[in-house]
Each structure stands twice: as C-alpha cells, then as structure tokens.
C-alpha cells in the first residue's frame, strides 16, 4: 500500500491526497511536518533530504516533490485522461503543472505566507495587496482559458487541474475579498463537485494560522 507522509494542511500534500482520491487508491497516511514534526529525523531525511512533505513510498519507490508525485501516480495508475498516451496531449497538461509551480503557486504561496501564516500584528498590508494583485492576474489568465473549456486540459479533469485548483479553496476562504472572476468561480464550483476535492482540499488549515516557523 502507498505510504504518504505529510500534514493535511499543506497544499503540496493536498495535491497528492487529491490525486490518490481521484484514482481511488488505498494509502496509509503518516502525519509529518509542522506540528507533527518527524521531518528533521535522520529516518525522514533519508527519504527526503530536503526535510519537506509530501513524500510517498510506493512499494520501495520513494518520491518527493508534489508535482512529480502527481505525475508518477497518473502514469503508474491513471491511464487516460490523467496520463494521455499522446506525448502532445501530455505536454499540454504538463505545461499547466509547470506554470503552476513557476507562476500561480509561487505567487499564491507568497500571499498565503504574508497573510495567513504571518501573525496579524506583523502583516504588511501593502505587500499583501501587491501579492494579491499578482494572484488575481494569474487567475485572470486562467479564466480566459477556462472561458473556452471546462478544465485546464480541455473537456476532462486531469493532472493540469490539481496543482492549480488546489489553491482556489484558500484563495476564496482565507479572508481577503476576491474580485469578480466569473470563469474562475464557475471552475471552482466544478472542482467542488468532485468528492476527492471536498475530502482533501476543502479542509481546515487553521493549524498553520500565524505560524511562520515551519
Ligand atoms: N516543491 C516542494 C515543496 C514542499 C514544501 O515546501 N513543503 C512544505 C509544506 S507545503 C513543508 O514541508 N514545510 C515544512 C513543514 O511543514 O514542516 C513540493 O512541491 O513538494
């Protein structure tokens, strides 16, 4: 059975949990990181020298980096449409995963850390507003794509939606008023129809509120 280490309040862990849920795979979850510790033990560092979550062990195949894990699970257990056999179609999904890592997630994590994870008396309102603008610009770009198709890969839900969609729950719930983004709102509602999204992404992240220490 696949083992996964990580705290459920981590967006990177949630990507993997969501993927496991979409594929209906059995897993054993080991809380790690943040208040659960473990990540600095020699045993954990032997799994991931970065001391970060998520990490999986699939029958001896140890893997870290959330997007790489999502790709591995899709290719090993998913088949179409999670892992299209056509390299061109697959590249079209991969592109959105890399865009998420380099652009949307990079901006969103900056915002999330500056707002949610920073104690209120230490927050920098100007910095938060600028970071929020970056995220809104990214979502406007996504919205233009989603005006023409229901999911980022096209007609079907795919691995392209996981690293991008995971951030929408927090974007809409952490307490910063969002501007009207009708195509994103429709997309977010579409993601909420998925049981695995509700189970693994739409959950409390209160344990990391005001916590900058990990
Ligand atoms: N690029 C890595 C980033 C992993 C990462 O930064 N994980 C954070 C949680 S989101 C972590 O382990 N922080 C330390 C902790 O929670 O103790 C990935 O996508 O997996």
């Amino acid at each position: 059975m696949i083992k996964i280490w990580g705290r459920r309040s981590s967006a990177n862990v949630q990507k993997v949990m969501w993927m496991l849920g979409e594929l209906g795979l059995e897993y054993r979850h080991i809380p790690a990181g943040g208040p659960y510790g473990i990540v600095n033990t020699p045993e954990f560092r032997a799994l991931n020298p970065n001391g970060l979550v998520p990490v999986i062990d699939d029958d001896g195949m140890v893997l870290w980096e959330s997007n790489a894990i999502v790709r591995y699970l899709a290719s090993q257990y998913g088949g179409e449409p999670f892992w299209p056999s056509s390299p061109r179609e697959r590249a079209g999904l991969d592109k959105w995963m890399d865009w998420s890592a380099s652009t949307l997630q990079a901006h969103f994590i900056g915002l999330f850390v500056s707002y949610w994870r920073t104690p209120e008396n230490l927050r920098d309102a100007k910095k938060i507003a600028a970071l929020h603008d970056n995220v809104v610009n990214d979502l406007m770009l996504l919205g233009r794509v989603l005006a023409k198709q229901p999911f980022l890969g096209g007609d079907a839900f795919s691995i392209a939606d996981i690293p991008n969609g995971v951030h929408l729950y927090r974007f809409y719930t952490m307490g910063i008023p969002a501007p009207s983004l009708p195509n994103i709102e429709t997309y977010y509602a579409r993601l909420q129809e998925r049981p695995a999204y509700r189970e693994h992404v739409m959950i409390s992240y209160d344990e990391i509120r005001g916590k900058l220490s990990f």
Side-chain angles (χ1 to χ4, degrees):
M1 188 188 298
I2 297 171
K3 283 191 215 159
I4 168 162
W5 285 262
R7 54 180 170 81
R8 288 182 185 271
S9 59
S10 148
N12 288 313
V13 172
Q14 289 179 1
K15 293 177 200 171
V16 178
M17 301 297 271
W18 182 9
M19 187 69 198
L20 288 165
E22 290 287 347
L23 296 174
L25 294 171
E26 284 189 33
Y27 58 86
R28 183 155 81 82
H29 173 235
I30 302 134
Y36 309 98
I38 296 183
V39 292
N40 290 318
T41 61
E43 293 79 15
F44 187 87
R45 292 276 169 157
L47 298 173
N48 183 356
N50 298 290
L52 297 172
V53 292
V55 179
I56 65 160
D57 181 341
D58 182 15
D59 199 19
M61 161 73 179
V62 174
L63 193 59
W64 39 270
E65 278 300 328
S66 57
N67 286 3
I69 298 172
V70 169
R71 285 189 191 92
Y72 166 72
L73 293 174
S75 58
Q76 179 78 339
Y77 299 107
E80 313 272 346
F82 287 107
W83 195 253
S85 49
S86 149
R88 288 186 179 198
E89 273 181 48
R90 219 160 52 222
L93 307 183
D94 224 8
K95 168 191 76 185
W96 284 116
M97 296 191 80
D98 281 13
W99 181 82
S100 172
S102 65
T103 307
L104 177 64
Q105 173 154 337
H107 291 151
F108 187 78
I109 294 293
L111 173 64
F112 188 71
V113 169
S114 303
Y115 181 72
W116 188 263
R117 297 194 53 171
T118 299
E120 268 181 60
N121 59 326
L122 298 179
R123 285 181 190 158
D124 176 341
K126 254 193 186 164
K127 183 177 167 194
I128 289 169
L131 291 166
H132 194 254
D133 283 351
N134 288 340
V135 173
V136 169
N137 283 336
D138 295 339
L139 293 179
M140 285 166 70
L141 183 152
L142 278 191
R144 288 193 288 277
V145 173
L146 292 164
K148 298 182 223 124
Q149 57 196 52
F151 294 104
L152 288 174
D155 288 335
F157 176 83
S158 74
I159 53 171
D161 297 296
I162 288 184
N164 290 293
V166 78
H167 300 297
L168 291 180
Y169 177 63
R170 292 177 185 196
F171 178 74
Y172 282 113
T173 57
M174 71 182 177
I176 303 180
S180 165
L181 296 162
N183 297 324
I184 295 295
E185 287 155 27
T186 306
Y187 176 63
Y188 177 47
R190 199 170 282 133
L191 295 181
Q192 290 177 62
E193 290 166 9
R194 309 189 75 81
Y197 188 77
R198 293 200 301 273
E199 181 180 349
H200 298 296
V201 181
M202 300 181 72
I203 59 175
S204 169
Y205 45 99
D206 236 40
E207 69 182 15
I208 50 174
R209 185 177 199 142
K211 300 250 165 53
L212 286 169
S213 54
F214 48 81

